[in-house]
Each structure stands twice: as structure tokens, then as C-alpha cells.
Amino acid sequence: LDLVSFLQSNSISLLQGTPSFMSHLLTGIKGDGKKKIQDLKTLCIGGESLSSKLVKELNAALTGVNINNHYGPTETSIDAIVSCDIKDFQKNIIGKPIENVSVYILDERMHVVPLGLIGEICIGGVGLARGYLNKPELTNEKFVSNPFKEGDKLYKTGDLGRWLSDGNIEYVGRIDDQVKIRGHRIELGEIESSLQNHPSIVDAVVLAKEIVSGEKDLVAYLVSQEELNTSDIRNYLSGSLPVYMIPSYYVQVDKFPLTSNGKLDKRSLPDPINASMLSGTAYVGASNETEEKLIAIWEEIL
């Protein structure tokens, strides 16, 4: 079914979905003569990290449509923090707590972290669930006593964030998305953000995968309407990231696979060995005896 035609023919005024879903919507709008959705007034986006590039493209394609960024896990009745009417979206600002929601940014000892520092987003309030059915251990791990309000509970989201000076919260990434590669602790979301700022990249996902050596390597999956090569992307990333944060493998796809609820299906992404992008660098063989000796030395070392 053509999503754009469906929205138009049914006079849909409010649409809620993930950033991955909205990317598909954007493709549909651009694809067939830049279709317009006359009655669409509001987009509520949530469920995944939102990029500034997607917001910019949606604002350009959907004139007059109010874009809201919604944040909140199922355990807090979905929406708990909202950023309304996004125009200039430079960071992943998830907004401010809604009514009857309490939000704390805490360290590992459940202490409040200072303004601007990163900690775990913990949520309380009337929308908080009682726990997980028939899972007391997981309930006790995630639903903890509120150290600031006796008798209340907080849900430990596992998400990292920080308070900004204007009262908004910036989403930084998942605690379990922090990986250790060859001794370096790496935040995958930071690499994704750098890739999404590339003018030719529509969307990007970075995973840590065990490829061949038994150690994990960083793999970047990229969506672009242009043919990309690894040399250009690596050079671009080197301008903003240290060497240990630059992915070893790059895979270009037409679009990201989605699960039934519209989120990124990481398991369906292609194998990086068989689907790697071209390097963009032509191989030049040895032109003299010295170069032949150097090649032999490097072959033995590697």
C-alpha cells in the first residue's frame, strides 16, 4: 500500500511513528513527484534516536507540519518526555517531562549528576508500571525505590542523557550500546551522529560485531542515494572522531529493515564481509625492488 496516498485519501492529520518509519514516509513524499499530504498537521516521532538531518528534511518536505519528538519506554506508559514543534534540531533533544512525570539523571550510586553531565535517565510518576509480570528479579532490578521521595518507585531506563541549561534533556545513547573495542570504551551513538552529518548520508547505524578474529569490530550501515566508498567516509570521520572510533567495515543499503512495530531490525542487516562497500582506492602494485621488499615485509607482519 502506498503510505502517502493512504494518508492523503483518509485525511490523516496526526501521524505517529519511529524515525525509521518517517524515513520511509520521506522517501514516498520525494519519490512520486513530491506528493503533498494536505491534511497532515502533526508528526509524533519516537521509539528510536532522532537525527537532525531527518528533522531538517521532514521540515522541508512537509511545510506547516508540527514535528514533535516523543521519548518514553513502555514501562512508563510510553510518552514521558516530549519536545514540541522542532525546527532547529542540532542535538538529540528529547524535551521536558510531561505532567505527572518525574525525571532524574543519576549516576551508578543513584546520586543526581550535575547539570550537563551524563547519567542514566530514571523516570517516576503516575504512569509508572508496577513491574514485569512473573519476573520479580527483573522487576527489582529495574523498578527501584525513589531515593528522593519515600514510598515512590523509579524506573531505570538504561538510557543515557543529560540536563541542559534550558530545562531540556539531551538523549546520549544506551548504556548497553557502550562497547569496548581493543581497550577503548566507545559510544556507538556518537559515531552514528557523525555519519548522519555527512551531506550524502541519509541515515546510519553502527554495530559492534565479531567478524573473524574473535574480537569485535565496528560496522557502519549507511543509507544514501549516492554511491559511497569507504575511503571517503573514513576520511570524513577522521575529522571529528579518534582513530579507534572509526568503523572497520562499511555497508551501504537502500533502506533499513524494520520490525513489525516499525523499529530497526538489526538482525536482518547484511553480513559486512559479503556486502562491504568498495574502497574507492585503486590498487597499485610495486614499481621497483624496494617496494617489492616492503610489500613482502608487510605481508609477513599482517
Side-chain angles (χ1 to χ4, degrees), residues 20-70:
S20 299
F21 174 83
M22 295 301 174
S23 293
H24 287 299
L25 172 66
L26 190 61
T27 301
I29 294 171
K30 291 180 176 179
D32 192 6
K34 292 188 176 180
K35 291 182 179 179
K36 298 295 182 183
I37 310 172
Q38 301 296 338
D39 297 299
L40 188 62
K41 302 301 181 187
T42 304
L43 291 183
C44 297
I45 308 177
E48 294 173 337
S49 180
L50 183 60
S51 71
S52 57
K53 180 174 288 187
L54 178 60
V55 172
K56 184 178 180 180
E57 292 183 343
L58 285 170
N59 274 317
L62 299 168
T63 307
V65 173
N66 183 2
I67 300 175
N68 300 331
N69 190 13
H70 288 226

Side-chain angles (χ1 to χ4, degrees), residues 197-264:
N197 287 331
H198 189 285
S200 299
I201 295 176
V202 176
D203 206 354
V205 170
V206 178
L207 303 178
K209 287 194 168 189
E210 187 175 310
I211 308 298
V212 288
S213 63
E215 291 188 357
K216 287 188 175 181
D217 284 300
L218 296 175
V219 181
Y221 292 90
L222 311 174
V223 176
S224 176
Q225 297 176 348
E226 302 175 17
E227 186 174 352
L228 305 173
N229 66 70
T230 59
S231 296
D232 290 343
I233 302 302
R234 288 178 65 88
N235 288 337
Y236 174 81
L237 290 177
S238 65
S240 59
L241 297 176
V243 173
Y244 63 84
M245 291 182 69
I246 296 178
S248 302
Y249 297 88
Y250 299 82
V251 180
Q252 184 172 348
V253 295
D254 294 330
K255 59 183 180 181
F256 288 139
L258 304 181
T259 61
S260 58
N261 61 356
K263 292 189 176 183
L264 174 67

Side-chain angles (χ1 to χ4, degrees), residues 12-286:
I12 302 298
S13 60
L14 186 150
L15 182 63
Q16 183 169 1
T18 64
S20 299
F21 174 83
M22 295 301 174
S23 293
H24 287 299
L25 172 66
L26 190 61
T27 301
I29 294 171
K30 291 180 176 179
D32 192 6
K34 292 188 176 180
K35 291 182 179 179
K36 298 295 182 183
I37 310 172
Q38 301 296 338
D39 297 299
L40 188 62
K41 302 301 181 187
T42 304
L43 291 183
C44 297
I45 308 177
E48 294 173 337
S49 180
L50 183 60
S51 71
S52 57
K53 180 174 288 187
L54 178 60
V55 172
K56 184 178 180 180
E57 292 183 343
L58 285 170
N59 274 317
L62 299 168
T63 307
V65 173
N66 183 2
I67 300 175
N68 300 331
N69 190 13
H70 288 226
Y71 168 89
T74 304
E75 292 85 350
T76 64
S77 300
I78 312 300
D79 294 334
I81 303 169
V82 176
S83 178
C84 297
D85 196 16
I86 302 171
K87 298 298 182 188
D88 186 20
F89 191 73
Q90 298 301 323
K91 298 179 179 179
N92 198 352
I93 308 299
I94 55 178
K96 301 177 180 180
I98 63 174
E99 292 290 332
N100 298 316
V101 168
S102 302
V103 176
Y104 303 88
I105 309 293
L106 306 177
D107 62 18
E108 294 177 353
R109 299 178 182 179
M110 297 294 287
H111 294 160
V112 173
V113 301
L115 180 72
L117 295 189
I118 296 173
E120 182 176 7
I121 300 173
C122 298
I123 301 175
V126 297
L128 199 64
R130 296 179 183 176
Y132 299 107
L133 183 63
N134 299 325
K135 294 183 177 180
E137 291 184 3
L138 184 60
T139 296
N140 291 334
E141 176 188 345
K142 292 294 186 179
F143 292 84
V144 299
S145 296
N146 186 342
F148 314 104
K149 194 172 182 181
E150 188 174 352
D152 276 12
K153 293 282 189 179
L154 288 178
Y155 174 68
K156 293 167 62 69
T157 65
D159 290 330
L160 297 172
R162 56 182 155 207
W163 287 106
L164 302 179
S165 58
D166 60 1
N168 282 296
I169 297 171
E170 178 189 356
Y171 173 83
V172 177
R174 289 285 301 169
I175 290 176
D176 50 17
D177 276 350
Q178 287 184 323
V179 297
K180 209 165 188 180
I181 305 288
R182 298 174 187 87
H184 296 284
R185 188 169 295 280
I186 295 170
E187 170 57 58
L188 299 180
E190 188 175 349
I191 307 173
E192 291 173 351
S193 179
S194 294
L195 286 166
Q196 288 163 355
N197 287 331
H198 189 285
S200 299
I201 295 176
V202 176
D203 206 354
V205 170
V206 178
L207 303 178
K209 287 194 168 189
E210 187 175 310
I211 308 298
V212 288
S213 63
E215 291 188 357
K216 287 188 175 181
D217 284 300
L218 296 175
V219 181
Y221 292 90
L222 311 174
V223 176
S224 176
Q225 297 176 348
E226 302 175 17
E227 186 174 352
L228 305 173
N229 66 70
T230 59
S231 296
D232 290 343
I233 302 302
R234 288 178 65 88
N235 288 337
Y236 174 81
L237 290 177
S238 65
S240 59
L241 297 176
V243 173
Y244 63 84
M245 291 182 69
I246 296 178
S248 302
Y249 297 88
Y250 299 82
V251 180
Q252 184 172 348
V253 295
D254 294 330
K255 59 183 180 181
F256 288 139
L258 304 181
T259 61
S260 58
N261 61 356
K263 292 189 176 183
L264 174 67
D265 185 0
K266 294 180 180 180
R267 294 183 179 181
S268 297
L269 290 169
D271 174 50
I273 295 295
N274 298 322
S276 289
M277 286 164 31
L278 297 175
S279 68
T281 304
Y283 173 73
V284 179

Side-chain angles (χ1 to χ4, degrees), residues 283 285-301:
Y283 173 73
S287 60
N288 55 51
E289 185 178 353
T290 301
E291 291 183 357
E292 287 177 357
K293 290 180 179 179
L294 287 171
I295 288 174
I297 291 169
W298 278 111
E299 283 179 344
E300 184 177 350
I301 290 172

